[in-house]
């Protein structure tokens, strides 16, 4: 728990600046207390737009969130998981750029600091993952090893 003293006119600016800069969730300003937690992954502007577009096109209900995680397999040993799902036991919930994200606690050590992007070009189309924890990745970019 942190103690924060801010003049009232600066609260809106502070909330917007902190949320956009550090992708914080559960930011509550009540008198003098701020409770924060850092999201383990980030999304580029293109990824955010595409995720909202997919959610609207597929008419995904509000009780679903975006599952970000890893799964054993793939040509490099582990594969990325990215898809809409309901919250499961062991999940942590984050709000990242307005998107509800579910991630199993055990997956965070593999994905901490990862950035998800959307590519919409002639040579490639789809989500890409820039993972600082990956020692090697496969040619398709959906599999990695640590």
């Amino acid at each position: 728990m942190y103690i924060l003293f801010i003049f009232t006119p600066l609260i809106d600016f502070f909330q917007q600046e902190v949320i956009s800069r550090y992708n914080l969730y559960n930011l509550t300003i009540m008198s003098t207390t701020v409770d924060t937690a850092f999201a383990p992954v980030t999304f580029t502007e293109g990824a955010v737009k595409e995720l909202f577009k997919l959610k609207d096109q597929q008419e995904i209900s509000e009780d679903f969130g975006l599952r970000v995680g890893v799964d054993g397999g793939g040509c490099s040993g582990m594969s990325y998981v990215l898809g809409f799902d309901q919250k499961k036991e062991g999940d942590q919930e984050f709000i990242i750029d307005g998107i509800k994200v579910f991630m199993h606690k055990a997956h965070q050590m593999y994905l901490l600091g990862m950035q998800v992007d959307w590519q919409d070009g002639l040579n490639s189309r789809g989500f890409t993952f820039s993972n600082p924890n990956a020692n090697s990745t496969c040619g398709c970019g959906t599999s990695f090893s640590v």
Side-chain angles (χ1 to χ4, degrees), residues 27-100:
L27 178 65
T28 308
I29 296 183
M30 299 174 5
S31 63
T32 59
T33 305
V34 177
D35 184 16
T36 61
F38 289 95
V41 299
T42 59
F43 301 114
T44 64
E45 185 178 330
V48 170
K49 286 179 183 178
E50 187 64 22
L51 288 167
F52 278 121
K53 182 176 149 185
L54 288 170
K55 187 175 179 183
D56 287 343
Q57 285 176 344
Q58 297 177 9
E59 298 177 0
I60 296 171
S61 70
E62 292 302 315
D63 59 332
F64 280 72
L66 181 69
R67 176 160 307 282
V68 179
V70 296
D71 196 14
C75 46
S76 292
M78 300 182 92
S79 296
Y80 294 109
V81 173
L82 186 70
F84 292 99
D85 195 4
Q86 290 184 314
K87 191 171 184 177
K88 298 178 182 174
E89 188 176 331
D91 283 348
Q92 285 190 307
E93 182 175 328
F94 303 93
I95 303 297
I96 305 173
D97 296 323
I99 299 168
K100 186 187 325 182

Side-chain angles (χ1 to χ4, degrees), residues 4-19 27-34:
L4 179 67
F5 297 98
I6 299 178
F7 294 107
T8 305
L10 296 177
I11 289 176
D12 288 336
F13 171 77
F14 174 77
Q15 283 179 316
Q16 291 171 357
E17 188 66 24
V18 169
I19 289 170
L27 178 65
T28 308
I29 296 183
M30 299 174 5
S31 63
T32 59
T33 305
V34 177

Side-chain angles (χ1 to χ4, degrees), residues 81-144:
V81 173
L82 186 70
F84 292 99
D85 195 4
Q86 290 184 314
K87 191 171 184 177
K88 298 178 182 174
E89 188 176 331
D91 283 348
Q92 285 190 307
E93 182 175 328
F94 303 93
I95 303 297
I96 305 173
D97 296 323
I99 299 168
K100 186 187 325 182
V101 175
F102 301 138
M103 182 182 292
H104 194 279
K105 294 175 185 178
H107 296 186
Q108 290 183 25
M109 66 184 204
Y110 300 111
L111 301 178
L112 186 63
M114 181 178 76
Q115 183 181 57
V116 179
D117 189 15
W118 171 256
Q119 299 291 318
D120 194 13
L122 294 174
N123 293 331
S124 66
R125 179 180 166 92
F127 289 101
T128 61
F129 307 93
S130 177
N131 187 347
N133 304 302
N135 288 334
S136 64
T137 59
C138 67
C140 66
T142 61
S143 181
F144 71 102

